[in-house]
Amino acid sequence: WTCFFVCAQKLCGTNYPVSIAFIVVNEFCERFSYYGMKAVLTLYFIHYLHWDKNLSTAVYHAFSSLCYFTPLLGAVIADSWLGKFRTVIYLSIVYVIGHVVKSVGAIPDVGDSTVHVVLSMLGLVLIAFGTGGIKPCVAAFGGDQFDEEHVKERRKFFSIFYMSINAGSVLHVINFASIQIVVFIAGSGLYKKSPPEGNVLVRVCKCIGFAIRNRWNNSKKSPKRSHWLDWAEEKYPKRLIQEIKMVFRVLVLYIPLPMFWALFDQQGSRWTLQATRMNMDFVMGVCFCVVKMLNALLILVFIPIFDMGVYPLIGLCRIKLTPLKKMAAGMILAALAFCAATVVEINVIKSVVEPPPAKESLVQVYNLMDSEVTVQFPGHTVFSDPLKSYEDPSGYTSLPLTGESQLYTVTVTHNGAEYQCGLTFTERTAYSLFLHTAQPGDTVCKLVSPRFNGLTFKKMEDIQANNIHIAWQVPQYVFITAGEVMFSITGLEFSYSQAPASMKSVLQAGWLMTVAFGNVIVLIVAEGAGMEQWTEFLLFAGLLVAVSIIFSIMAYFYTYVDPDQLDKIFREDTDDEKVESSDGKKNEAVSLTDMPKQTKM
């Protein structure tokens, strides 16, 4: 039996169209597969492709950035060529192909490391074009299903839509990429399918270009106009000019927003790497995957809490919480999340030894001889001071290598006699070198690594185990999720509500491009800053606080508009033109002799 009844194309007893059920399930499946892949992407780069942390972080955010640049392409295709419905279908196929290519690239038996990298990157590019291209279409397509008078239901839809995104994130164990296409097509007969409005973006660009040229050519001769876009009135309709003005006013507000996403998207890179260096002992075998899912789980909890609890309570206090105020509050909460991450990072680095990068090993020396020894590595001064007998080493020392592995002839000086040991070191490995006497007058070098199984020795704790539990990451996830609810969901609905009918997908794409630029910021910092991780977290928190202040000032001067009023305004203008036309026909009957001779048209 079906779980709901259909009453005149509506979910029975509500104003919600039946078609939105298919749209919500489609988004759930798409996010299901996307987050399932992205959750382990940074670890995949580090442990499978053997990239270092900074390169892995950079590529992760480059991929995320591309996923949010491509919505502009999807919006143009939907609004000017295929329409939202067919755009979602075609780009979903590209998306599925990308997942297949990416999965093949992860099979160990398929080619060498170069093939794995090429297939992985090709798959990620296809996924980025697929998921990015449909992003602006699905949300706007869902909004199109509602009648104009059902504003409240449409606002609720965006919350439900966002919940479906995070429900897919929570359950990202199976790849549902292909199922999403089937579900979306299944509701085809129920959708309101708005035809493409023409090449909107090209029209907008031409209109802007003409206005700039016209103003430049006539600025000295003609009187000033109220807005620089009004210089396009000679060629373009007033309605288009007014719509572009509305879009521009919103796009200006978008300028500070990328900084929020620069912090938010580090959950999959810097925060994941932080978690791998923490104590992951959980009761009943629960692993750090729980923390990885925490953002999505909290979203499912926080959305109803904020919608039915927090916002109504704030309203009872007679505080007018506008969408832009919610977004500013969300920025502050995200900054607090990174302050919490800074505190955690400071405690984590106290007892964690960073693994060596490519072409480097870590080595420490235990002197088990009866007196001091001197250890020399040819071409390096890693152990320049004599090592006392039975003294605990101060820590691991970095040893540079010329390739993946290198043979060193180590010279050990003991009681004036020199002994040479041939030792092979492999990159990304930590070693302990034990010096001891097998018989009087002899010195033995024994190199021990985690991969060595031929030596029996007693357990020694040279570095205290890290006791910073991964649960300490929970506060930062609570703050960032609360910020996401106030910032992201509100911004999604704000973008739709302030967009003219013909440009909703374009403005949605503009909103998503703020995410792209946010990832570019992380990309630049990860590759160029070269600072310690805790200072980097603190830098991002400080920048976001500064940006939130700027955004609050901009929001104070913003005036909310109703795009639907454009229809009413220009309908009245059309009616006035008809009246004038009717009066003109009546006046044609007046004798020409009754008209002034010098009347100017």
Side-chain angles (χ1 to χ4, degrees), residues 163-179:
M163 286 182 71
S164 72
I165 292 174
N166 288 277
S169 176
V170 169
L171 302 172
H172 54 241
V173 185
I174 308 170
N175 194 325
F176 271 23
S178 55
I179 298 177

Side-chain angles (χ1 to χ4, degrees), residues 181-495:
I181 304 177
V182 177
V183 171
F184 191 72
I185 294 176
S188 176
L190 301 170
Y191 298 137
K192 289 183 181 178
K193 300 173 187 174
S194 303
E197 300 285 343
N199 203 326
V200 180
L201 188 61
V202 173
R203 252 187 113 194
V204 169
C205 293
K206 286 182 177 179
C207 181
I208 293 170
F210 180 80
I212 294 172
R213 289 195 308 272
N214 199 23
R215 182 182 181 183
W216 178 263
N217 295 332
N218 300 294
S219 56
K220 295 180 181 179
K221 304 174 185 177
S222 304
K224 291 184 177 180
R225 304 189 185 184
S226 59
H227 194 280
W228 63 271
L229 275 169
D230 292 335
W231 289 93
E233 288 181 349
E234 285 83 352
K235 185 175 180 181
Y236 292 92
K238 290 184 179 180
R239 174 162 187 151
L240 176 65
I241 295 170
Q242 191 62 34
E243 288 177 344
I244 295 173
K245 288 180 185 178
M246 294 169 67
V247 170
F248 260 95
R249 290 173 69 251
V250 177
L251 290 178
V252 169
L253 277 178
Y254 285 175
I255 293 173
L257 304 188
M259 187 52 66
F260 173 88
W261 298 112
L263 277 70
F264 180 82
D265 275 353
Q266 289 187 57
Q267 293 177 79
S269 55
R270 295 304 199 194
W271 285 16
T272 297
L273 295 175
Q274 184 187 67
T276 60
R277 293 176 290 135
M278 300 176 74
N279 182 358
M280 298 184 194
D281 264 345
F282 267 84
V283 180
M284 298 174 66
V286 181
C287 67
F288 98 114
C289 300
V290 174
V291 176
K292 286 292 294 175
M293 293 193 309
L294 197 56
N295 172 251
L297 285 168
L298 288 173
I299 279 285
L300 299 177
V301 175
F302 281 2
I303 286 178
I305 288 176
F306 274 76
D307 279 349
M308 296 183 287
V310 177
Y311 295 151
L313 283 175
I314 293 174
L316 289 175
C317 297
R318 297 183 179 179
I319 298 174
K320 189 177 181 181
L321 197 60
T322 62
L324 296 179
K325 287 181 181 177
K326 291 180 186 177
M327 293 170 70
M331 290 182 179
I332 298 297
L333 289 170
L336 289 174
F338 266 65
C339 291
T342 302
V343 174
V344 172
E345 183 67 21
I346 288 173
N347 285 279
V348 166
I349 61 176
K350 287 180 180 178
S351 59
V352 171
V353 175
E354 291 291 332
K359 295 187 177 181
E360 280 189 26
S361 290
L362 294 179
V363 62
Q364 61 180 355
V365 179
Y366 287 90
N367 178 14
L368 307 182
M369 311 285 281
D370 56 4
S371 60
E372 287 186 347
V373 298
T374 301
V375 179
Q376 294 178 329
F377 284 79
H380 301 287
T381 57
V382 289
F383 296 103
S384 56
D385 298 329
L387 303 175
K388 294 181 180 180
S389 177
Y390 289 95
E391 183 179 52
D392 287 337
S394 58
Y396 284 98
T397 302
S398 178
L399 179 66
L401 307 177
T402 56
E404 292 183 0
S405 63
Q406 183 176 348
L407 174 65
Y408 273 101
T409 302
V410 182
T411 302
V412 179
T413 305
H414 176 239
N415 293 333
E418 291 188 353
Y419 304 89
Q420 291 187 334
C421 308
L423 304 173
T424 301
F425 295 85
T426 304
E427 65 176 1
R428 304 177 189 272
T429 307
Y431 293 92
S432 294
L433 176 59
F434 291 88
L435 305 176
H436 64 95
T437 303
Q439 55 187 356
D442 189 18
T443 298
V444 177
C445 304
K446 182 63 70 174
L447 192 64
V448 178
S449 75
R451 303 174 187 174
F452 189 87
N453 298 316
L455 182 69
T456 301
F457 57 94
K458 293 183 179 180
K459 181 179 178 181
M460 301 173 64
E461 187 177 54
D462 55 339
I463 295 178
Q464 187 178 2
N466 189 358
N467 58 0
I468 307 300
H469 200 277
I470 195 173
W472 284 107
Q473 278 197 327
V474 171
Q476 65 201 58
Y477 275 97
V478 170
F479 280 123
I480 200 76
T481 306
E484 181 187 5
V485 171
M486 298 194 75
F487 182 90
S488 185
I489 299 176
T490 307
L492 191 67
E493 195 274 331
F494 174 80
S495 297

Side-chain angles (χ1 to χ4, degrees), residues 89-99 125-127 129-130 181:
I89 296 296
Y90 296 155
L91 291 182
S92 292
I93 295 172
V94 174
Y95 179 66
V96 172
I97 294 172
H99 271 291
V125 169
L126 291 174
I127 290 171
F129 275 94
I181 304 177

Side-chain angles (χ1 to χ4, degrees), residues 96-202:
V96 172
I97 294 172
H99 271 291
V100 172
V101 174
K102 174 71 180 64
S103 299
V104 171
I107 299 174
D109 296 333
V110 178
D112 55 10
S113 59
T114 304
V115 174
H116 294 159
V117 171
V118 171
L119 289 177
S120 296
M121 294 304 102
L122 177 60
L124 290 177
V125 169
L126 291 174
I127 290 171
F129 275 94
T131 188
I134 67 176
K135 274 182 193 295
C137 303
V138 178
F141 189 59
D144 290 345
Q145 306 307 305
F146 291 87
D147 298 328
E148 290 182 9
E149 64 270 18
H150 298 147
V151 178
K152 184 179 179 181
E153 286 81 2
R154 186 176 65 199
R155 186 176 292 112
K156 290 289 183 183
F157 160 74
F158 283 110
S159 291
I160 296 169
F161 182 81
Y162 209 81
M163 286 182 71
S164 72
I165 292 174
N166 288 277
S169 176
V170 169
L171 302 172
H172 54 241
V173 185
I174 308 170
N175 194 325
F176 271 23
S178 55
I179 298 177
Q180 74 166 98
I181 304 177
V182 177
V183 171
F184 191 72
I185 294 176
S188 176
L190 301 170
Y191 298 137
K192 289 183 181 178
K193 300 173 187 174
S194 303
E197 300 285 343
N199 203 326
V200 180
L201 188 61
V202 173

